[in-house]
Amino acid sequence: TNSYAVDQSLVGTDVVARVYAVAEDDSLSSGFAEYIFKILNAPTNLTYEDGTITWDTVDGATGYNVYFDGKISFTEYAQSYVLDRFTEPKTYQIKVMAVGDDSLNIENSDYCEAIEITKLDIPKNIRIVNGVVLWNEVQNIKHYTIYLDNEEPVQITRNQLVLPQSLTAGSHFIKIQSCGDEKTYISSVVSAELYFEKLSPVASLYIENGSVCWTANLQATSYMLYVNGVPYQTTNINTTSVDFADYNSGTYSLNIKPIGNGGNILDGDLMADSFEVTKLATPNNLRIEADNQNNYLVWDEIENASAYSLIINDAEPIVVEDNRYLLQVEAGSYSIRVRALGDSTVYINSNY
């Protein structure tokens, strides 16, 4: 054979190689050909940090070949190289060779031991569930960087974020980046924006026909009404009032918020100020009193009542201003019910 593998122990030293051709008849063997050369040591301490690889200088090298993602780049008289081609989320192999000088018979080194750098995957399947932003977990992260609207970015280590209650009503967006240690794991690009909406608060509560009412929010799916702090959720968007028939007389503090869809439409805030209402007491002590051959239905006066409503034998209601009513009926048995009427401002009709 006309080749010979140089022993690794000779790498980095000046080597004198002498070769001659050997014949069966030694008298016919050639003279010696001499070749003096040096094989460079492979670079050592190859490291990566913040976009740049570095290594220890190799004596006698005129430059270095950098192998990165299947391609070789030459850098002259340097011991560092900027890498900016981490385009895909995958693992990249990087290694460096010291380049010699043919004119001085200095041969290239072998490649050093390769290092592997992984570009992290972008967070995927970003979604909102009941006010919590979720996404698929990315392995080997140092943290996630959260960009919420144009606020200062925040860093978290879990793959979920509870959206702050302080968000204002209106449109918002969020985007997320997987961040590595920038040594072995490189940060991903930032995800696309996920847009979402926070509902506007209910403008006001008001009283109508003995019920607490409000104006519909067309994006809401229902409403949460708080009565003295106790929640009462309406069944659907078409319900924009609550009948107080099941509540006892007394004063109540009310507040309300619109409910979103559990996804990209968030619940709105409560109204800034609670709405105070009073349900009137039910008229009692109903009795018949005679006056100058007239019969009157009389009951105890109810404080803050604006009028009273009477129903006789399930007929149409009769509204009277005072706590008495002239009975003009034929002889017979009658069922009479009375309730106090509010003012459609802060006083709710009583029960019959």
Side-chain angles (χ1 to χ4, degrees):
T1 180
N2 61 339
S3 63
Y4 178 78
V6 177
D7 190 276
Q8 287 297 309
S9 63
L10 299 178
V11 172
T13 64
D14 292 325
V15 179
V16 178
R18 290 182 293 173
V19 181
Y20 70 99
V22 179
E24 289 184 7
D25 182 351
D26 190 53
S27 64
L28 299 177
S29 296
S30 72
F32 283 98
E34 187 175 84
Y35 180 63
I36 301 174
F37 65 96
K38 181 179 182 179
I39 300 175
L40 295 176
N41 287 309
T44 55
N45 294 326
L46 177 63
T47 58
Y48 171 88
E49 187 168 1
D50 294 329
T52 301
I53 56 171
T54 58
W55 57 88
D56 291 346
T57 301
V58 176
D59 290 338
T62 59
Y64 300 88
N65 284 336
V66 177
Y67 175 93
F68 171 69
D69 196 27
K71 298 178 181 179
I72 298 174
S73 301
F74 176 75
T75 178
E76 187 176 12
Y77 300 112
Q79 61 186 95
S80 66
Y81 188 74
V82 177
L83 296 175
D84 56 2
R85 301 194 302 274
F86 295 96
T87 55
E88 300 177 41
K90 66 178 185 179
T91 298
Y92 296 82
Q93 189 179 77
I94 303 168
K95 52 189 177 181
V96 178
M97 168 195 292
V99 177
D101 186 341
D102 289 341
S103 65
L104 299 176
N105 293 341
I106 299 177
E107 305 295 330
N108 297 350
S109 74
D110 289 335
Y111 277 106
C112 67
E113 184 177 353
I115 60 173
E116 290 187 340
I117 307 297
T118 299
K119 180 163 182 148
L120 296 175
D121 203 358
I122 190 172
K124 295 178 180 177
N125 193 24
I126 302 173
R127 60 207 184 274
I128 298 175
V129 179
N130 295 327
V132 180
V133 184
L134 305 170
W135 58 91
N136 294 353
E137 184 178 7
V138 178
Q139 297 296 318
N140 301 310
I141 64 151
K142 182 179 180 182
H143 58 258
Y144 300 100
T145 298
I146 309 297
Y147 301 87
L148 180 58
D149 296 332
N150 294 313
E151 301 295 327
E152 191 72 20
V154 297
Q155 297 176 352
I156 61 175
T157 56
R158 298 181 63 192
N159 58 322
Q160 59 178 269
L161 172 74
V162 178
L163 290 169
Q165 289 294 321
S166 59
L167 282 176
T168 57
S171 296
H172 300 270
F173 70 86
I174 190 170
K175 52 187 180 179
I176 306 170
Q177 181 182 27
S178 304
C179 296
D181 59 8
E182 303 305 332
K183 295 180 180 179
T184 305
Y185 299 99
I186 300 173
S187 300
S188 73
V189 297
V190 180
S191 72
E193 294 92 346
L194 173 69
Y195 287 91
F196 60 96
E197 188 88 10
K198 182 173 181 177
L199 294 175
S200 298
V202 171
S204 63
L205 293 171
Y206 59 93
I207 297 171
E208 186 175 282
N209 297 325
S211 295
V212 175
C213 307
W214 56 90
T215 303
N217 184 319
L218 298 181
Q219 290 183 290
T221 59
S222 61
Y223 301 88
M224 186 70 77
L225 178 70
Y226 292 86
V227 182
N228 287 346
V230 179
Y232 169 86
Q233 185 161 3
T234 63
T235 54
N236 56 58
I237 182 57
N238 296 318
T239 302
T240 56
S241 65
V242 172
D243 187 355
F244 256 63
D246 293 334
Y247 289 86
N248 295 325
S249 60
T251 298
Y252 296 89
S253 176
L254 308 179
N255 212 321
I256 192 171
K257 69 177 182 179
I259 303 300
N261 63 3
N264 288 25
I265 299 179
L266 305 182
D267 298 352
D269 292 328
L270 292 168
M271 297 189 311
D273 298 311
S274 295
F275 181 50
E276 301 290 333
V277 298
T278 298
K279 182 173 180 178
L280 297 175
T282 302
N284 57 21
N285 195 19
L286 272 66
R287 59 201 183 273
I288 304 295
E289 293 182 355
D291 181 10
N292 297 326
Q293 297 183 343
N294 292 322
N295 291 318
Y296 291 89
L297 176 67
V298 181
W299 56 89
D300 291 347
E301 184 178 3
I302 301 300
E303 185 179 5
N304 297 313
S306 62
Y308 300 90
S309 174
L310 289 79
I311 297 179
I312 302 175
N313 282 353
D314 296 325
E316 287 297 314
I318 301 168
V319 176
V320 297
E321 293 185 0
D322 298 320
N323 60 319
R324 57 188 286 158
Y325 174 71
L326 175 62
L327 290 172
Q328 296 175 317
V329 295
E330 298 178 357
S333 297
Y334 295 90
S335 171
I336 302 176
R337 295 178 290 156
V338 181
R339 73 173 177 180
L341 299 181
D343 60 0
S344 296
T345 304
V346 294
Y347 295 105
I348 300 175
N349 300 344
S350 74
N351 292 341
Y352 280 101

